């Protein structure tokens, strides 16, 4: 992480790269603006008056008009979008229809849970898949290669929430390694919190691991045929040294893109997994808001995930340029 | 016709394709038969058989209402097949249309379409579907439509890059010189040339559609009770996990093997290229 | 005698029928000698060289005979002991300087890798030595090149880097597998010149593999002519070029374009 910071800093100091990142960030901001507009427009065109639904049975024409004015619903569409957008940038996503509290306070409390779950799952995916992918590549075209491939493909096919249920049964109910549904809040105990989240994190990580392994195996096999690998052997490197010092970095190039996109996928997966393990996270909030038609909350969650998607795009780009010096050279200005 | 089918099969006669084909055919047969016949009525409850274990009469056991799990798994497979099919149909047709126009003509339109498409693509399809569902409510029709729309970006992306590659090739140029209209070039000449890529991505589409549908129905969105869906069966089974673990196991395995079948087919098709 | 190859035979086993690519090849290499190994593609010259370098795959291949270096048979040496020699006593430079260097690793780390593997040195000492060798292969601006990536260098510069990285441990044998084939003619002459001077200055024996006879005649002391996996003629370079005995050698020599630049 520190190295990335230094890299960003160093890159920004050089004018040509400065231009590149400047343009990149500008285009990402534009993308976010487009998404926010689409999201806002989508929730505008749906039938139903939010003021009416908020007042419910208490609705009188005067009270509706008053509330509409208070919510800013009487202003033109573009003005409302602009107001909403500026508020969002300041971190104010409006008020929840159903709970009448600021959306930010509803989400902010749940955010650490989803973030922890995502970081745990992604870390497990990366740490486990690299050695396994290299190992599978090393033993490619041997007898158990096909069996390994089918096993990997099968693991890829298991939905994370089914794995969660299996884990609940095996490790929770039969082996008593953890207490099913015994979620510990991070406010009570950080260790208990992470200890409980580790099982759902593994459930999310396993199918992602299988996918990473498959990609890495193919990339390593492709790299292993290249001339520089022979050069590395000629210097007296062992196979493991060749793999980790030379091949791995080159083989990671396709994987970085996959991991970047997997982050958003893991967040989506955590929405379902939260239900399996009864975790009161962002997914729970999103699902209740959807069934209550609590649009400000839904909008805020979507925007947040869009920000994550866009940020991951940027991080992927930075990592990509860290790993592959050729990309850095080719995109001057 | 028969001959060309035979030829196609010979071309794809590899281990992965056959493996995937067998699994997918088994599920397809289960789904088709499930339309007309199930061993037991899927909604008939029987208190005496509540949470009973697998036995000869009920090979997958019975659920918490004493309904035959095997029959309900069959119905669930049928529903998943049905939803996945229309999801992939909507996603691929719209994806081909957008991707073809974007890739063939290029320019500003391409840039704008692909910018939006890239973000949508990076957005997990389950989430995208959830957004649409939050707008239009849940239910089988809405879920199918929502998933279909959520699948457009990935198809559009693949089709666009293929069209970009093909548009500069000689046969396209000569077809244009011969006076073929753009529509003909796009939908006859190029489309037939990218078919293998398309078939492989349709299989991956099925793979993802089954997973997404299962996830949504686990959340209670989609097929509504008392009709069976694999995901919802799993979520119901969770309450009886200790008493009758088989209730969760069989619908779960059905999802796993269905997905595996499609992914192996995709693997086999891309291996044959 | 530094290296002795006795009855080397290499068979491929990856097809239905085993295919013999090198058969009963015997020769020796002396200290400080430049030995040319010449032949058309498929003659087995590169296979022979790779066998000496220990870079042939262990599977799908049957090797017999002996390659004796310092009383050790390289063909039967355990992998671990072989690695001790690779990059230390025996170094290799390859045909394609474009692809023979790792694209994602800085030049400096690649040049000093053999030091890291075989010598117990501090990072600073390694760097100093690497820069010294980069200067020795006549790369101006060695400090900048030390920090560069391969794609930032020209083909000639990369081949110089390869030579520096091969020579950094002062090996006794340098195997040069068509080191100039992929380069421009002018760059080619410079690299040949550099190899000759390296040979004189450091006393390293060079096994020079090439299909280019005029090049071989200029640089080598002795030459081996190979055809279809067999040695057809070997001996002193000047003698063979003056009076070839074998028909195949005669044909090869006759085919050299006679352009005298004097």
């Amino acid at each position: 992480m520190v190295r990335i910071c230094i890299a960003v800093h160093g890159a920004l100091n050089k004018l040509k790269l400065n231009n590149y990142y400047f343009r990149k960030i500008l285009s990402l901001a534009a993308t976010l603006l487009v998404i926010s507009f689409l999201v806002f427009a989508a929730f505008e065109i749906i039938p139903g008056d939010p003021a009416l639904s908020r007042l419910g049975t208490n609705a009188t024409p005067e009270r509706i008009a008053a509330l509409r004015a208070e919510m800013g619903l009487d202003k033109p569409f573009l003005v409302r979008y602009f107001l909403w957008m500026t508020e969002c940038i300041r971190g104010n996503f409006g008020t929840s229809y159903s709970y009448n509290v600021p959306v930010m306070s509803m989400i902010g409390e749940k955010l650490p849970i989803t973030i922890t779950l995502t970081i745990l799952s992604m870390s497990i995916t990366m740490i486990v898949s690299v050695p396994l992918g290299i190992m599978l590549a090393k033993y490619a075209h041997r007898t158990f290669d096909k069996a390994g491939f089918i096993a990997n493909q099968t693991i890829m096919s298991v939905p994370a929430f089914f794995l969660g249920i299996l884990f609940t049964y095996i490790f929770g109910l039969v082996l008593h390694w953890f207490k099913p549904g015994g979620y510990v809040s991070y406010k009570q105990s950080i260790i208990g919190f992470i200890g409980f989240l580790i099982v759902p994190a593994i459930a999310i990580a396993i199918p992602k691991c299988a996918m990473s392994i498959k990609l890495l195996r193919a990339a390593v096999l492709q790299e292993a045929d290249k001339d520089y690998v022979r050069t590395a052997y000629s210097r007296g490197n062992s196979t493991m040294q060749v793999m980790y010092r030379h091949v791995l970095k080159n083989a990671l190039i396709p994987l970085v893109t996959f991991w970047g996109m997997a982050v958003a996928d893991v967040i989506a997966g955590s929405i379902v997994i939260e239900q399996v393990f009864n975790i009161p996270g962002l997914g729970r909030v999103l699902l209740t808001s959807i069934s209550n038609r609590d649009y400000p909350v839904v909008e805020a969650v979507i925007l947040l995930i869009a920000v994550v998607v866009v940020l991951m795009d940027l991080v992927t780009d930075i990592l990509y340029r860290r790993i592959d010096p050729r990309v850095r050279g080719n995109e001057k200005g | 016709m028969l001959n060309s089918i035979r030829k196609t099969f010979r071309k794809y006669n590899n281990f992965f394709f056959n493996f995937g084909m067998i699994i997918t055919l088994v599920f397809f047969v289960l789904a088709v038969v499930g339309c007309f016949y199930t061993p037991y009525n899927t909604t008939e409850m029987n208190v005496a058989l509540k949470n009973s274990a697998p036995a000869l009469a009920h090979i997958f056991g019975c659920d918490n209402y004493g309904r035959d799990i095997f029959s309900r798994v069959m119905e669930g497979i049928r529903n998943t097949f049905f939803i996945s099919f229309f999801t992939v149909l909507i996603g691929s047709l719209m994806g081909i249309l957008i991707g073809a126009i974007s890739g063939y003509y290029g320019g500003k339109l391409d840039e704008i379409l692909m910018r939006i498409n890239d973000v949508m693509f990076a957005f997990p399809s389950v989430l995208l579907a959830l957004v649409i569902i939050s707008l239009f409510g849940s239910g089988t029709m809405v879920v199918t439509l929502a998933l279909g729309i959520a699948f457009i970006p990935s198809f559009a992306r693949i089709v666009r890059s293929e069209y970009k590659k093909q548009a500069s090739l000689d046969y396209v140029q000569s077809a244009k010189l011969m006076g073929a209209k753009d529509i003909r070039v796009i939908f006859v000449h190029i489309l037939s040339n990218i078919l293998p890529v398309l078939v492989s991505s349709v299989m991956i589409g099925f793979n993802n559609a089954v997973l997404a549908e299962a996830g949504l129905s686990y959340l209670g969105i989609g097929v509504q009770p008392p009709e069976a869906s694999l995901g919802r069966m799993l979520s119901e089974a969770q309450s009886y996990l200790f008493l009758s673990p088989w209730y969760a196991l069989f619908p779960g395995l059905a999802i796993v093997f269905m997905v595996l079948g499609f992914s192996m087919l995709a693997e086999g098709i891309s291996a044959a290229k | 005698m530094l290296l002795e190859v006795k009855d080397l035979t290499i068979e491929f086993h990856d097809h239905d029928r085993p295919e013999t690519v090198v058969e009963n090849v015997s020769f020796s290499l002396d200290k400080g000698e430049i030995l040319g190994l010449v032949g058309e593609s498929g003659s087995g010259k590169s296979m022979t060289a790779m066998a000496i370098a220990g870079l042939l795959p262990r599977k799908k291949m049957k090797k017999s005979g002996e390659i004796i270096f310092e009383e050790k048979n390289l063909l039967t040496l355990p992998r671990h002991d072989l690695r001790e020699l690779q990059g230390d006593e025996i170094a290799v430079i390859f045909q394609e300087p474009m692809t023979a260097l790792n694209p994602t690793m800085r030049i400096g780390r690649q040049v000093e890798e053999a030091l890291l593997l075989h010598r117990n040195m501090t990072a600073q000492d390694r760097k100093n030595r690497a820069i010294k060798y980069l200067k020795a292969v006549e790369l101006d601006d060695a400090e900048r090149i030390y920090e560069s990536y391969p794609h930032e260098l020209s083909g000639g510069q990369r081949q110089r880097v390869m030579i520096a990285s091969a020579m950094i441990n002062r090996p006794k044998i340098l195997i040069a597998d068509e080191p100039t084939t992929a380069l421009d003619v002018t760059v080619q002459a410079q690299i040949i010149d550099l190899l000759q001077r390296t040979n004189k200055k450091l006393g390293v024996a060079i096994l020079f593999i090439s299909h280019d006879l005029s090049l071989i005649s200029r640089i080598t002391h002795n030459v081996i002519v190979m055809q279809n996996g067999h040695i057809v003629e070997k001996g002193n370079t000047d003698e063979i070029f003056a009076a070839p005995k074998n028909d195949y050698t005669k044909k090869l020599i006759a085919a050299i374009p006679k352009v005298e630049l004097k």
Side-chain angles (χ1 to χ4, degrees):
Chain A
M1 217 40 218
V2 177
R3 281 193 67 170
I4 295 170
C5 291
I6 295 168
V8 174
H9 192 75
L12 285 174
N13 281 339
K14 293 181 197 160
L15 189 73
K16 55 183 186 190
L17 290 180
N18 191 358
N19 276 339
Y20 173 78
Y21 280 107
F22 185 65
R23 277 174 43 184
K24 181 83 195 170
I25 289 165
L26 216 65
S27 99
L28 291 180
T31 312
L32 269 182
L33 215 64
V34 172
I35 301 172
S36 71
F37 184 78
L38 288 178
V39 169
F40 188 77
F43 285 94
E44 276 299 309
I45 55 168
I46 44 161
D49 188 334
L52 186 74
S53 60
R54 211 167 131 181
L55 285 170
T57 46
N58 301 329
T60 62
E62 297 79 40
R63 290 180 74 168
I64 291 174
L67 191 62
R68 281 182 65 90
E70 188 198 316
M71 292 167 78
L73 291 170
D74 51 345
K75 296 192 181 73
F77 172 70
L78 281 175
V79 174
R80 269 180 292 139
Y81 167 67
F82 182 75
L83 288 175
W84 176 75
M85 197 55 229
T86 43
E87 284 300 306
C88 283
I89 292 170
R90 289 167 52 196
N92 175 13
F93 293 100
T95 311
S96 156
Y97 290 170
S98 2
Y99 298 99
N100 220 355
V101 293
V103 173
M104 205 49 217
S105 73
M106 267 175 80
I107 293 176
E109 213 174 285
K110 311 293 180 194
L111 225 42
I113 303 170
T114 305
I115 290 174
T116 313
L117 202 52
T118 307
I119 291 175
L120 278 177
S121 322
M122 284 311 294
S123 314
I124 296 168
T125 304
M126 291 191 236
I127 292 167
V128 174
S129 61
V130 166
L132 281 178
I134 287 180
M135 198 188 79
L136 275 188
K138 213 180 134 191
Y139 295 115
H141 312 303
R142 296 263 189 98
T143 27
F144 68 85
D145 189 33
K146 208 170 251 175
F149 185 88
I150 294 173
N152 201 44
Q153 203 76 12
T154 312
I155 295 169
M156 260 169 65
S157 310
V158 186
F161 67 91
F162 181 48
L163 269 179
I165 294 172
L166 286 181
F167 285 0
T168 309
Y169 181 69
I170 298 169
F171 302 119
L173 296 176
V174 177
L175 298 171
H176 297 291
W177 287 1
F178 76 100
K179 196 168 150 243
Y183 167 74
V184 183
S185 167
Y186 58 94
K187 286 171 190 153
Q188 285 170 16
S189 145
I190 288 286
I191 293 169
F193 171 67
I194 290 176
F196 184 80
L197 286 188
I198 217 79
V199 183
I202 293 172
I204 299 174
I206 285 178
K208 288 272 166 288
C209 260
M211 266 175 244
S212 305
I213 288 170
K214 187 180 170 187
L215 279 174
L216 189 62
R217 176 187 174 275
V220 168
L221 283 179
Q222 204 184 355
E223 288 296 319
D225 277 339
K226 295 200 173 155
D227 284 355
Y228 71 84
V229 173
R230 195 173 54 168
T231 309
Y233 275 116
S234 83
R235 293 192 188 117
N237 279 297
S238 68
T239 306
M240 276 298 138
Q241 283 166 327
V242 170
M243 287 291 177
Y244 283 94
R245 192 149 49 208
H246 290 272
V247 173
L248 181 59
K249 202 173 167 194
N250 289 286
L252 277 182
I253 293 170
L255 230 70
V256 165
T257 317
F258 172 74
W259 284 341
M261 295 206 310
V263 171
D265 244 24
V266 164
I267 294 175
S270 74
I271 290 173
V272 188
I273 278 288
E274 279 171 15
Q275 298 301 303
V276 179
F277 290 90
N278 218 353
I279 302 166
L282 202 58
R284 177 71 58 84
V285 173
L286 182 64
L287 288 173
T288 16
S289 310
I290 286 175
S291 60
N292 291 347
R293 306 203 158 218
D294 196 347
Y295 296 130
V297 183
V298 180
E299 280 173 330
V301 174
I302 296 164
L303 269 192
L304 267 178
I305 292 169
V307 169
V308 172
V309 168
V310 165
L311 274 183
M312 285 325 292
D313 190 44
L314 185 66
V315 171
T316 308
D317 233 54
I318 293 169
L319 281 178
Y320 207 84
R321 297 162 76 84
R322 283 298 301 161
I323 294 175
D324 195 345
R326 287 163 295 186
V327 184
R328 256 177 277 165
N330 291 339
E331 289 172 18
K332 283 173 189 164
Chain B
M1 179 69 191
L2 216 86
N3 214 18
S4 79
I5 291 176
R6 203 175 296 146
K7 232 183 231 165
T8 317
F9 267 87
R10 201 166 302 148
K11 184 182 165 199
Y12 292 128
N13 187 11
N14 60 43
F15 174 76
F16 297 135
F17 185 82
N18 294 338
F19 191 95
M21 200 51 163
I22 291 169
I23 297 179
T24 309
L25 273 180
V26 168
F27 277 96
F28 185 70
V29 168
L30 279 177
V32 171
V33 172
C35 295
F36 310 104
Y37 167 80
T38 48
Y40 294 88
N41 186 329
T42 52
T43 51
E44 194 183 273
M45 304 181 191
N46 186 340
V47 189
L49 289 167
K50 237 173 112 174
N51 291 329
S52 65
L56 264 183
H58 299 272
I59 51 169
F60 285 0
C62 290
D63 71 3
N64 51 313
Y65 294 111
R67 298 174 296 194
D68 180 48
I69 293 177
F70 181 71
S71 303
R72 289 185 65 78
V73 166
M74 268 177 87
E75 192 174 77
I77 290 170
R78 187 195 78 196
N79 285 334
T80 303
F81 238 110
F82 182 80
I83 293 174
S84 304
F85 178 79
F86 283 100
T87 297
V88 173
L89 193 73
I90 296 168
S92 59
L93 286 185
M94 290 302 292
I96 289 170
L97 198 69
I98 294 171
I101 290 169
S102 193
Y104 185 77
Y105 291 107
K108 273 254 145 48
L109 179 79
D110 175 42
E111 211 168 292
I112 294 167
L113 276 177
M114 281 307 123
R115 163 112 339 145
I116 298 171
N117 200 65
D118 276 353
V119 182
M120 301 249 296
F121 176 71
F123 237 80
S125 48
V126 171
L127 260 178
L128 217 53
L130 274 179
V131 174
I132 298 164
I133 288 157
S134 74
L135 293 173
F136 302 107
S138 75
T140 313
M141 287 299 283
V142 178
V143 167
T144 312
L145 197 71
L147 279 176
I149 294 170
F151 274 52
I152 294 172
S154 58
F155 280 106
R157 208 176 144 103
I158 295 163
V159 172
R160 174 189 173 262
S161 80
E162 287 300 316
Y163 268 81
K164 255 201 140 60
K165 262 187 255 162
Q166 302 279 333
S168 59
L169 294 184
D170 283 345
Y171 79 93
V172 174
Q173 298 303 327
S174 60
K176 272 195 210 162
L177 281 176
M178 303 274 280
K181 286 202 178 89
D182 276 0
I183 294 220
R184 195 177 154 74
V185 175
I186 291 175
F187 293 110
V188 179
H189 292 266
I190 301 182
L191 196 61
S192 60
N193 270 290
I194 66 164
L195 220 53
V197 180
L198 219 54
V199 174
S200 161
S201 50
V202 161
M203 288 305 148
I204 295 170
F206 263 107
N207 171 71
N208 293 335
V210 172
L211 279 174
E213 193 275 333
L216 286 179
S217 67
Y218 175 79
L219 295 177
I221 300 160
V223 178
Q224 293 303 313
E227 198 153 334
S229 74
L230 298 172
R232 194 182 273 273
M233 286 175 83
L234 274 170
S235 93
E236 282 165 9
Q238 251 190 298
S239 320
Y240 306 93
L241 205 51
F242 195 71
L243 272 173
S244 50
W246 51 86
Y247 185 17
L249 189 68
F250 293 116
L253 287 182
I255 298 170
V256 172
F257 282 104
M258 233 168 139
V259 174
L260 181 65
F262 286 122
S263 78
M264 281 302 205
L265 274 182
E267 212 55 54
I269 289 165
S270 44
K273 256 183 292 181
Chain C
M1 200 160 24
L2 186 63
L3 178 90
E4 190 174 16
V5 178
K6 280 191 238 169
D7 292 327
L8 179 68
T9 300
I10 302 170
E11 274 175 23
F12 267 107
H13 280 261
D14 56 347
H15 296 292
D16 298 338
R17 252 172 356 133
E19 189 190 350
T20 309
V21 286
V22 174
E23 197 169 4
N24 289 328
V25 165
S26 305
F27 63 88
S28 63
L29 179 69
D30 282 326
K31 207 165 168 288
E33 177 188 355
I34 301 183
L35 176 65
L37 202 53
V38 71
E40 296 165 314
S41 58
S43 62
K45 57 186 191 319
S46 280
M47 279 295 153
T48 309
M50 289 305 115
I52 297 168
L55 293 177
L56 289 184
R58 308 228 132 190
K59 277 160 256 146
K60 294 176 180 177
M61 224 176 232
K62 215 180 114 197
K63 289 158 271 184
S64 61
E66 286 178 331
I67 299 174
I68 307 290
F69 174 77
E70 293 180 336
E71 290 159 13
K72 281 171 272 191
N73 182 358
L74 299 187
L75 279 186
T76 54
L77 206 59
R79 187 113 185 245
H80 179 262
D81 296 332
L82 184 66
R83 282 208 302 271
E84 301 272 287
L85 299 176
Q86 288 176 325
D88 193 14
E89 304 278 10
I90 302 173
V92 192
I93 54 177
F94 296 98
Q95 180 174 357
E96 282 287 346
M98 301 301 211
T99 53
L101 290 167
N102 185 342
T104 59
M105 202 188 253
R106 284 182 203 277
I107 295 292
R109 280 196 61 203
Q110 303 195 48
V111 170
E112 65 188 35
E113 191 178 19
L115 289 176
L116 180 77
L117 289 162
H118 301 286
R119 299 275 185 280
N120 206 355
M121 287 168 91
T122 63
Q124 189 57 45
D125 286 349
R126 283 201 300 268
K127 182 174 177 179
N128 292 341
R129 179 109 167 235
I131 286 183
K132 190 181 136 200
Y133 271 76
L134 284 173
K135 281 181 177 151
V137 293
E138 291 146 12
L139 283 166
D140 314 323
D141 217 358
E143 279 87 357
R144 188 184 58 81
I145 286 183
Y146 183 90
E147 297 290 339
S148 305
Y149 286 98
H151 75 275
E152 293 163 338
L153 307 183
S154 70
Q157 283 176 316
R158 283 183 230 185
Q159 200 58 296
R160 284 171 195 272
V161 166
M162 280 300 289
I163 295 172
S165 90
M167 292 307 298
I168 198 151
N169 271 339
R170 303 273 310 259
K172 295 198 174 93
I173 300 175
L174 177 66
I175 295 168
D177 186 7
E178 306 239 13
T180 59
T181 311
L183 301 174
D184 292 344
V185 185
T186 44
V187 183
Q188 205 172 28
Q190 292 166 5
I191 296 291
I192 292 295
D193 193 45
L194 177 65
L195 281 174
Q196 259 176 321
R197 268 180 294 134
T198 309
N199 164 257
K200 285 211 186 78
K201 222 164 83 186
L202 303 176
V204 60
I206 300 180
L207 184 62
F208 192 94
I209 294 110
S210 180
H211 63 272
D212 184 344
L213 265 91
S214 67
L215 209 62
I216 293 274
S217 74
R218 263 187 291 156
I219 180 173
T220 62
H221 306 129
N222 293 304
V223 68
I224 294 169
V225 184
M226 285 186 75
Q227 186 193 14
N228 297 333
H230 294 269
I231 294 183
V232 293
E233 192 161 2
K234 61 178 170 183
N236 181 282
T237 307
D238 294 337
E239 285 170 20
I240 285 187
F241 275 80
K245 293 191 186 74
N246 182 279
D247 287 344
Y248 179 69
T249 319
K250 280 179 196 162
K251 255 195 284 177
L252 283 180
I253 292 173
I256 301 175
K258 297 274 185 298
V259 185
E260 293 295 328
L261 289 169
K262 278 175 195 168

